[in-house]
Amino acid sequence: MPTAKIVYASLTGNNEEIADIVGEELEKYGYTVDTTEVSQAMAEDFKDADICVTATYTYSDGDVGILPDESLDFYDDLKATDLKGKVYGCCGSGDHFYDDFATAVDDFDKAFAQAGATKGAENVKIDLAPEDDDIKTLEKFTKQLVEKAQELNA
């Protein structure tokens, strides 16, 4: 049975909800899903998954968007982990009030690329909590991840 690992960072619950939506969609495709909050996760855990997903918020420090403090060690470890043959996707929530809207999503995208993983879908950035249109976007995101994983394993 194919497997997926989702790691999320959430202050307000928005990214936990995003992770749950993606996880439920992956289960519909027959994946066994493990979802973990980032402070409880290790980048090495992605080695045991076919699909790897991060859902994170961006902390704003004035005009600069930065990674959440609780994800810094995980992020550094992710860049150094060999994830060749794995499919990844990055998503997360932000707030359009800030200049650097959801830039941590892009940072995790770069970390996965550095780890040698294969990008399965374009990054998804959601303004605050996911609404109906956002859920549809996350469903499409998940479908693309599954299709890329099937293509890679064909």
Side-chain angles (χ1 to χ4, degrees):
M1 182 175 268
T3 59
K5 175 73 176 172
I6 302 171
V7 175
Y8 70 91
S10 192
L11 272 179
T12 61
N14 293 341
N15 284 295
E16 184 173 8
E17 183 178 354
I18 290 168
D20 288 343
I21 292 165
V22 172
E24 288 170 11
E25 282 300 304
L26 285 164
E27 288 173 349
K28 290 178 185 176
Y29 288 101
Y31 279 75
T32 298
V33 179
D34 180 35
T35 304
T36 308
E37 196 275 326
V38 71
S39 67
Q40 304 299 310
M42 295 177 55
E44 291 280 322
D45 296 342
F46 281 138
K47 287 186 169 190
D48 296 329
D50 300 301
I51 294 178
C52 311
V53 177
T54 56
T56 187
Y57 67 94
T58 302
Y59 183 77
S60 186
D61 185 15
D63 291 335
V64 180
I66 57 176
L67 293 167
D69 283 345
E70 67 271 23
S71 69
L72 294 176
D73 290 339
F74 180 84
Y75 174 79
D76 288 338
D77 292 345
L78 177 59
K79 293 188 296 185
T81 302
D82 181 4
L83 295 177
K84 290 177 187 72
K86 306 298 179 184
V87 171
Y88 78 90
C90 300
C91 53
S93 69
D95 187 338
H96 273 108
F97 173 80
Y98 297 103
D99 292 335
D100 289 331
F101 175 67
T103 56
V105 173
D106 299 325
D107 292 338
F108 271 100
D109 182 6
K110 292 173 189 165
F112 273 117
Q114 187 172 333
T118 300
K119 188 170 185 168
E122 290 304 310
N123 298 343
V124 173
K125 299 178 180 182
I126 294 171
D127 191 28
L128 303 173
E131 296 181 8
D132 289 344
D133 286 348
D134 301 315
I135 292 170
K136 288 182 176 99
T137 299
L138 290 168
E139 290 169 351
K140 180 180 174 187
F141 168 82
T142 304
K143 182 179 183 198
Q144 290 170 341
L145 293 174
V146 169
E147 289 171 349
K148 182 57 88 172
Q150 290 170 340
E151 176 186 313
L152 206 61
N153 294 319

